[in-house]
PDB file of all heavy atoms in Angstrom:
ATOM      1  N   GLU A1391      20.315 -28.057   4.000  1.00  0.00           N
ATOM      2  CA  GLU A1391      21.736 -28.420   3.994  1.00  0.00           C
ATOM      3  C   GLU A1391      22.616 -27.314   3.422  1.00  0.00           C
ATOM      4  O   GLU A1391      23.794 -27.208   3.789  1.00  0.00           O
ATOM      5  CB  GLU A1391      21.927 -29.715   3.210  1.00  0.00           C
ATOM      6  CG  GLU A1391      21.451 -30.950   3.968  1.00  0.00           C
ATOM      7  CD  GLU A1391      21.586 -32.223   3.161  1.00  0.00           C
ATOM      8  OE1 GLU A1391      21.439 -32.171   1.922  1.00  0.00           O
ATOM      9  OE2 GLU A1391      21.808 -33.282   3.775  1.00  0.00           O
ATOM     10  N   TRP A1392      22.085 -26.498   2.548  1.00  0.00           N
ATOM     11  CA  TRP A1392      22.881 -25.380   2.010  1.00  0.00           C
ATOM     12  C   TRP A1392      23.341 -24.452   3.145  1.00  0.00           C
ATOM     13  O   TRP A1392      24.398 -23.820   3.048  1.00  0.00           O
ATOM     14  CB  TRP A1392      22.079 -24.569   1.002  1.00  0.00           C
ATOM     15  CG  TRP A1392      22.075 -25.148  -0.377  1.00  0.00           C
ATOM     16  CD1 TRP A1392      21.043 -25.767  -1.023  1.00  0.00           C
ATOM     17  CD2 TRP A1392      23.181 -25.147  -1.309  1.00  0.00           C
ATOM     18  NE1 TRP A1392      21.422 -26.162  -2.290  1.00  0.00           N
ATOM     19  CE2 TRP A1392      22.719 -25.798  -2.485  1.00  0.00           C
ATOM     20  CE3 TRP A1392      24.478 -24.672  -1.274  1.00  0.00           C
ATOM     21  CZ2 TRP A1392      23.526 -25.963  -3.609  1.00  0.00           C
ATOM     22  CZ3 TRP A1392      25.312 -24.836  -2.393  1.00  0.00           C
ATOM     23  CH2 TRP A1392      24.825 -25.484  -3.538  1.00  0.00           C
ATOM     24  N   THR A1393      22.571 -24.363   4.193  1.00  0.00           N
ATOM     25  CA  THR A1393      22.916 -23.460   5.303  1.00  0.00           C
ATOM     26  C   THR A1393      23.534 -24.199   6.484  1.00  0.00           C
ATOM     27  O   THR A1393      23.635 -23.655   7.586  1.00  0.00           O
ATOM     28  CB  THR A1393      21.676 -22.680   5.776  1.00  0.00           C
ATOM     29  OG1 THR A1393      20.640 -23.610   6.144  1.00  0.00           O
ATOM     30  CG2 THR A1393      21.159 -21.767   4.680  1.00  0.00           C
ATOM     31  N   THR A1394      23.977 -25.439   6.250  1.00  0.00           N
ATOM     32  CA  THR A1394      24.655 -26.200   7.291  1.00  0.00           C
ATOM     33  C   THR A1394      25.997 -25.570   7.611  1.00  0.00           C
ATOM     34  O   THR A1394      26.779 -25.264   6.704  1.00  0.00           O
ATOM     35  CB  THR A1394      24.859 -27.656   6.843  1.00  0.00           C
ATOM     36  OG1 THR A1394      23.587 -28.263   6.594  1.00  0.00           O
ATOM     37  CG2 THR A1394      25.599 -28.449   7.906  1.00  0.00           C
ATOM     38  N   ALA A1395      26.294 -25.397   8.885  1.00  0.00           N
ATOM     39  CA  ALA A1395      27.579 -24.857   9.300  1.00  0.00           C
ATOM     40  C   ALA A1395      28.703 -25.835   8.973  1.00  0.00           C
ATOM     41  O   ALA A1395      28.520 -27.058   9.043  1.00  0.00           O
ATOM     42  CB  ALA A1395      27.568 -24.537  10.792  1.00  0.00           C
ATOM     43  N   THR A1396      29.858 -25.311   8.598  1.00  0.00           N
ATOM     44  CA  THR A1396      31.022 -26.152   8.305  1.00  0.00           C
ATOM     45  C   THR A1396      32.088 -25.913   9.368  1.00  0.00           C
ATOM     46  O   THR A1396      31.886 -25.117  10.296  1.00  0.00           O
ATOM     47  CB  THR A1396      31.607 -25.818   6.924  1.00  0.00           C
ATOM     48  OG1 THR A1396      32.194 -24.508   6.966  1.00  0.00           O
ATOM     49  CG2 THR A1396      30.529 -25.874   5.852  1.00  0.00           C
ATOM     50  N   CYS A1397      33.220 -26.565   9.238  1.00  0.00           N
ATOM     51  CA  CYS A1397      34.312 -26.397  10.194  1.00  0.00           C
ATOM     52  C   CYS A1397      34.989 -25.037  10.065  1.00  0.00           C
ATOM     53  O   CYS A1397      35.786 -24.642  10.918  1.00  0.00           O
ATOM     54  CB  CYS A1397      35.344 -27.496  10.011  1.00  0.00           C
ATOM     55  SG  CYS A1397      36.090 -27.537   8.366  1.00  0.00           S
ATOM     56  N   LEU A1398      34.688 -24.291   8.997  1.00  0.00           N
ATOM     57  CA  LEU A1398      35.276 -22.976   8.783  1.00  0.00           C
ATOM     58  C   LEU A1398      34.412 -21.927   9.487  1.00  0.00           C
ATOM     59  O   LEU A1398      33.235 -21.789   9.183  1.00  0.00           O
ATOM     60  CB  LEU A1398      35.374 -22.669   7.289  1.00  0.00           C
ATOM     61  CG  LEU A1398      36.215 -23.675   6.495  1.00  0.00           C
ATOM     62  CD1 LEU A1398      36.195 -23.337   5.014  1.00  0.00           C
ATOM     63  CD2 LEU A1398      37.650 -23.672   7.002  1.00  0.00           C
ATOM     64  N   PRO A1399      34.980 -21.196  10.440  1.00  0.00           N
ATOM     65  CA  PRO A1399      34.191 -20.251  11.232  1.00  0.00           C
ATOM     66  C   PRO A1399      33.377 -19.285  10.365  1.00  0.00           C
ATOM     67  O   PRO A1399      33.917 -18.645   9.457  1.00  0.00           O
ATOM     68  CB  PRO A1399      35.252 -19.499  12.031  1.00  0.00           C
ATOM     69  CG  PRO A1399      36.388 -20.446  12.131  1.00  0.00           C
ATOM     70  CD  PRO A1399      36.393 -21.180  10.823  1.00  0.00           C
ATOM     71  N   GLY A1400      32.078 -19.208  10.651  1.00  0.00           N
ATOM     72  CA  GLY A1400      31.208 -18.251   9.970  1.00  0.00           C
ATOM     73  C   GLY A1400      30.713 -18.687   8.604  1.00  0.00           C
ATOM     74  O   GLY A1400      29.922 -17.971   7.979  1.00  0.00           O
ATOM     75  N   TRP A1401      31.165 -19.852   8.122  1.00  0.00           N
ATOM     76  CA  TRP A1401      30.805 -20.272   6.773  1.00  0.00           C
ATOM     77  C   TRP A1401      29.930 -21.506   6.765  1.00  0.00           C
ATOM     78  O   TRP A1401      30.177 -22.487   7.500  1.00  0.00           O
ATOM     79  CB  TRP A1401      32.067 -20.563   5.949  1.00  0.00           C
ATOM     80  CG  TRP A1401      32.715 -19.332   5.409  1.00  0.00           C
ATOM     81  CD1 TRP A1401      32.442 -18.036   5.739  1.00  0.00           C
ATOM     82  CD2 TRP A1401      33.765 -19.281   4.428  1.00  0.00           C
ATOM     83  NE1 TRP A1401      33.249 -17.178   5.040  1.00  0.00           N
ATOM     84  CE2 TRP A1401      34.058 -17.913   4.230  1.00  0.00           C
ATOM     85  CE3 TRP A1401      34.461 -20.252   3.725  1.00  0.00           C
ATOM     86  CZ2 TRP A1401      35.050 -17.488   3.341  1.00  0.00           C
ATOM     87  CZ3 TRP A1401      35.455 -19.830   2.834  1.00  0.00           C
ATOM     88  CH2 TRP A1401      35.736 -18.468   2.640  1.00  0.00           C
ATOM     89  N   THR A1402      28.921 -21.478   5.901  1.00  0.00           N
ATOM     90  CA  THR A1402      28.048 -22.613   5.639  1.00  0.00           C
ATOM     91  C   THR A1402      28.500 -23.291   4.360  1.00  0.00           C
ATOM     92  O   THR A1402      29.446 -22.855   3.691  1.00  0.00           O
ATOM     93  CB  THR A1402      26.597 -22.122   5.462  1.00  0.00           C
ATOM     94  OG1 THR A1402      26.524 -21.296   4.291  1.00  0.00           O
ATOM     95  CG2 THR A1402      26.123 -21.338   6.678  1.00  0.00           C
ATOM     96  N   VAL A1403      27.777 -24.364   3.986  1.00  0.00           N
ATOM     97  CA  VAL A1403      28.055 -25.028   2.718  1.00  0.00           C
ATOM     98  C   VAL A1403      27.917 -24.042   1.550  1.00  0.00           C
ATOM     99  O   VAL A1403      28.742 -24.014   0.627  1.00  0.00           O
ATOM    100  CB  VAL A1403      27.109 -26.241   2.519  1.00  0.00           C
ATOM    101  CG1 VAL A1403      27.186 -26.780   1.095  1.00  0.00           C
ATOM    102  CG2 VAL A1403      27.436 -27.331   3.552  1.00  0.00           C
ATOM    103  N   LYS A1404      26.885 -23.227   1.601  1.00  0.00           N
ATOM    104  CA  LYS A1404      26.673 -22.235   0.534  1.00  0.00           C
ATOM    105  C   LYS A1404      27.806 -21.198   0.521  1.00  0.00           C
ATOM    106  O   LYS A1404      28.246 -20.774  -0.554  1.00  0.00           O
ATOM    107  CB  LYS A1404      25.325 -21.552   0.707  1.00  0.00           C
ATOM    108  CG  LYS A1404      24.973 -20.601  -0.425  1.00  0.00           C
ATOM    109  CD  LYS A1404      23.546 -20.083  -0.348  1.00  0.00           C
ATOM    110  CE  LYS A1404      23.370 -19.130   0.823  1.00  0.00           C
ATOM    111  NZ  LYS A1404      22.033 -18.493   0.818  1.00  0.00           N
ATOM    112  N   ASP A1405      28.289 -20.825   1.702  1.00  0.00           N
ATOM    113  CA  ASP A1405      29.364 -19.842   1.773  1.00  0.00           C
ATOM    114  C   ASP A1405      30.650 -20.375   1.144  1.00  0.00           C
ATOM    115  O   ASP A1405      31.383 -19.637   0.476  1.00  0.00           O
ATOM    116  CB  ASP A1405      29.630 -19.442   3.220  1.00  0.00           C
ATOM    117  CG  ASP A1405      28.458 -18.686   3.841  1.00  0.00           C
ATOM    118  OD1 ASP A1405      27.690 -18.066   3.089  1.00  0.00           O
ATOM    119  OD2 ASP A1405      28.334 -18.733   5.087  1.00  0.00           O
ATOM    120  N   ILE A1406      30.956 -21.640   1.377  1.00  0.00           N
ATOM    121  CA  ILE A1406      32.136 -22.243   0.752  1.00  0.00           C
ATOM    122  C   ILE A1406      31.996 -22.209  -0.773  1.00  0.00           C
ATOM    123  O   ILE A1406      32.944 -21.897  -1.494  1.00  0.00           O
ATOM    124  CB  ILE A1406      32.363 -23.681   1.244  1.00  0.00           C
ATOM    125  CG1 ILE A1406      32.849 -23.679   2.693  1.00  0.00           C
ATOM    126  CG2 ILE A1406      33.355 -24.420   0.350  1.00  0.00           C
ATOM    127  CD1 ILE A1406      33.081 -25.050   3.277  1.00  0.00           C
ATOM    128  N   THR A1407      30.784 -22.506  -1.250  1.00  0.00           N
ATOM    129  CA  THR A1407      30.535 -22.454  -2.691  1.00  0.00           C
ATOM    130  C   THR A1407      30.751 -21.044  -3.225  1.00  0.00           C
ATOM    131  O   THR A1407      31.345 -20.852  -4.301  1.00  0.00           O
ATOM    132  CB  THR A1407      29.109 -22.932  -3.005  1.00  0.00           C
ATOM    133  OG1 THR A1407      28.872 -24.180  -2.339  1.00  0.00           O
ATOM    134  CG2 THR A1407      28.899 -23.103  -4.505  1.00  0.00           C
ATOM    135  N   ALA A1408      30.267 -20.061  -2.483  1.00  0.00           N
ATOM    136  CA  ALA A1408      30.463 -18.668  -2.874  1.00  0.00           C
ATOM    137  C   ALA A1408      31.947 -18.297  -2.928  1.00  0.00           C
ATOM    138  O   ALA A1408      32.410 -17.571  -3.814  1.00  0.00           O
ATOM    139  CB  ALA A1408      29.723 -17.751  -1.922  1.00  0.00           C
ATOM    140  N   HIS A1409      32.702 -18.818  -1.964  1.00  0.00           N
ATOM    141  CA  HIS A1409      34.151 -18.595  -1.939  1.00  0.00           C
ATOM    142  C   HIS A1409      34.816 -19.183  -3.184  1.00  0.00           C
ATOM    143  O   HIS A1409      35.688 -18.548  -3.798  1.00  0.00           O
ATOM    144  CB  HIS A1409      34.744 -19.197  -0.677  1.00  0.00           C
ATOM    145  CG  HIS A1409      36.215 -19.421  -0.721  1.00  0.00           C
ATOM    146  ND1 HIS A1409      37.117 -18.420  -0.970  1.00  0.00           N
ATOM    147  CD2 HIS A1409      36.942 -20.560  -0.571  1.00  0.00           C
ATOM    148  CE1 HIS A1409      38.344 -18.912  -0.958  1.00  0.00           C
ATOM    149  NE2 HIS A1409      38.264 -20.214  -0.726  1.00  0.00           N
ATOM    150  N   LEU A1410      34.408 -20.392  -3.558  1.00  0.00           N
ATOM    151  CA  LEU A1410      34.956 -21.016  -4.768  1.00  0.00           C
ATOM    152  C   LEU A1410      34.650 -20.152  -6.003  1.00  0.00           C
ATOM    153  O   LEU A1410      35.506 -19.964  -6.876  1.00  0.00           O
ATOM    154  CB  LEU A1410      34.390 -22.413  -4.928  1.00  0.00           C
ATOM    155  CG  LEU A1410      34.774 -23.450  -3.873  1.00  0.00           C
ATOM    156  CD1 LEU A1410      33.921 -24.701  -4.011  1.00  0.00           C
ATOM    157  CD2 LEU A1410      36.251 -23.790  -3.969  1.00  0.00           C
TER     158      LEU A1410
END
Side-chain angles (χ1 to χ4, degrees):
E1391 286 177 327
W1392 277 108
T1393 56
T1394 299
T1396 70
C1397 60
L1398 301 177
W1401 280 12
T1402 65
V1403 169
K1404 186 172 69 173
D1405 293 335
I1406 288 179
T1407 310
H1409 161 57
L1410 294 169

